[in-house]
């Protein structure tokens, strides 16, 4: 006789939805459900495909309707099922306020629930959302977050200054309001590598792997979902960083090897939980050289 499996908490994901592709909610919902987590998915915008593929129709829910829908969730009789909220790309600045209210309601119901804010506002080419939207994420969502997961450009914009080298990047991350920040797409300590930098009050850990040529979009969304899943499964932050980095790199590598222009979520989904990807961890305290493991 086998015992009943432990019911995993639900995760609310609030981000973009594409008809074709593996970005935004498409990536996060798949990853979380593949790992056994029920998902409540809220689209902030619906697109035909990722704008990087070319012009796409953009449908943003009317602000009052979006607020009303999230208001329903705050009063849902099942709110106690929720163990985490992840927010990503916003369709407009007005969406930040209702998301912040939802996060507050989830935490009132379950005080140890996680809020992971992935501030999807731009990349090396600059902001790809209106400044008002970026400011709304910075001012209304980041202060409530337990974890932020910006890429390097987003970190610098949110912190208000440039940062080069792991110490400066870590210092910029420490300036943000969340107690934990994971900066993605950081140049590696080793030549030809790239990685994710975990920054806490205790120090920083850098998880690096080989740099891939022309990887598809969706890595940041998938990483936020995997990191959240690992933490909900009880892993410590460093172990969660390593496992999430390994899963995302494996998924990206498989897509690149197949010449795919999107993450291959369905055929490569097993890589999210189990992979042979080589990830190197560098543990550091501020102002010291990295110790590789």
């Amino acid at each position: 006789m086998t015992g009943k499996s432990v019911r995993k908490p639900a995760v609310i994901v609030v981000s973009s939805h594409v008809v074709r592709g593996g970005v935004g909610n498409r990536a996060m919902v798949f990853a979380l459900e593949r790992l056994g987590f029920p998902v409540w998915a809220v689209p902030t915008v619906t697109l035909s495909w990722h704008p990087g593929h070319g012009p796409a129709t953009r449908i943003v829910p009317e602000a009052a309707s979006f607020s009303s829908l999230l208001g329903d969730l705050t009063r849902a009789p099942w709110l106690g099922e929720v163990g985490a909220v992840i927010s990503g790309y916003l369709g407009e600045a007005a969406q930040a306020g209702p998301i912040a209210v939802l996060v507050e309601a989830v935490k009132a119901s379950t005080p140890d629930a996680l809020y992971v804010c992935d501030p999807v506002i731009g990349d090396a080419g600059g902001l790809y959302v209106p400044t008002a939207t970026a400011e709304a994420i910075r001012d209304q969502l980041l202060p409530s977050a337990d974890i932020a997961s910006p890429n390097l450009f987003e970190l610098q914009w949110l912190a208000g200054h440039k940062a080069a080298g792991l110490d400066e990047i870590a210092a910029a991350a420490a300036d943000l309001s969340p107690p934990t920040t994971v900066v993605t797409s950081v140049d590696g300590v080793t030549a030809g590598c790239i990685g994710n930098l975990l920054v806490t009050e205790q120090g920083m850990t850098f998880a690096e792997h080989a740099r891939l040529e022309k990887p598809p979009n969706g890595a940041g969304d998938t990483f936020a979902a995997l990191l959240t899943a690992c933490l909900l499964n009880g892993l410590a932050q460093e172990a969660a960083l390593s496992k999430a980095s390994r899963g995302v790199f494996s998924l990206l590598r498989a897509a690149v090897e197949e010449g795919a222009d999107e993450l291959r979520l369905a055929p490569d989904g097993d890589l999210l939980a189990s992979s042979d990807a080589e990830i190197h961890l560098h543990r550091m305290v501020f102002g010291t050289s990295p110790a590789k493991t």
Side-chain angles (χ1 to χ4, degrees):
M1 180 180 294
T2 58
K4 291 183 178 180
S5 60
V6 177
R7 182 184 178 90
K8 294 190 176 185
V11 180
I12 300 177
V13 293
V14 189
S15 191
S16 58
H17 174 80
V18 292
V19 176
R20 176 193 182 271
V23 300
N25 271 5
R26 286 290 300 274
M28 290 195 283
V29 172
F30 179 89
L32 288 162
E33 290 186 340
R34 190 67 173 252
L35 298 174
F37 291 90
V39 178
W40 300 11
V42 180
T44 55
V45 59
T46 300
L47 299 160
S48 308
W49 45 73
H50 188 282
H53 293 313
T57 297
R58 175 185 174 89
I59 302 173
V60 178
E62 193 269 331
S65 296
F66 183 84
S67 179
S68 179
L69 187 147
L70 265 63
D72 289 345
L73 300 186
T74 67
R75 299 182 294 273
W78 316 280
L79 195 63
E81 299 173 357
V82 177
V85 178
I86 308 172
S87 66
Y89 183 90
L90 301 193
E92 62 178 10
Q95 294 174 344
I99 295 170
V101 172
L102 175 61
V103 170
E104 183 180 5
V106 169
K107 285 184 169 288
S109 176
T110 306
D112 61 350
L114 283 174
Y115 171 38
V116 177
C117 179
D118 182 12
V120 184
I121 59 174
D123 56 24
L127 286 177
Y128 48 61
V129 300
T131 300
T133 301
E135 290 173 343
I137 292 173
R138 180 193 65 196
D139 299 340
Q140 299 180 54
L141 296 182
L142 275 183
S144 300
D146 300 292
I147 300 172
S149 59
N151 62 33
L152 182 55
F153 168 82
E154 290 162 345
L155 169 71
Q156 293 177 125
W157 191 91
L158 293 166
H161 57 82
K162 296 287 187 180
L166 294 183
D167 272 339
E168 287 188 10
I169 294 170
D175 286 342
L176 301 186
S177 47
T180 297
T181 297
V182 182
V183 188
T184 61
S185 302
V186 175
D187 285 339
V189 173
T190 308
C193 289
I194 194 169
N196 304 312
L197 180 65
L198 168 70
V199 181
T200 69
E201 292 180 352
Q202 288 69 45
M204 51 184 170
T205 302
F206 186 53
E208 72 171 5
H209 54 72
R211 185 186 294 271
L212 297 169
E213 291 297 322
K214 297 181 179 179
N217 294 299
D221 307 305
T222 309
F223 178 81
L226 282 184
L227 182 70
T228 302
C230 290
L231 293 170
L232 290 176
N233 278 334
L235 292 183
Q237 288 184 334
E238 186 176 282
L241 169 74
S242 177
K243 191 172 182 65
S245 298
R246 184 176 291 109
V248 173
F249 173 64
S250 298
L251 204 62
L252 289 170
R253 181 177 61 183
V256 169
E257 289 174 350
E258 289 293 328
D261 65 352
E262 291 282 353
L263 293 175
R264 291 159 34 92
L265 296 173
D268 298 331
D270 288 345
L271 297 174
L272 293 169
S274 176
S275 77
D276 60 355
E278 188 174 8
I279 296 288
H280 296 294
L281 293 183
H282 302 269
R283 298 184 182 90
M284 295 157 275
V285 294
F286 302 129
T288 65
S289 300
K292 185 175 180 179
T293 60

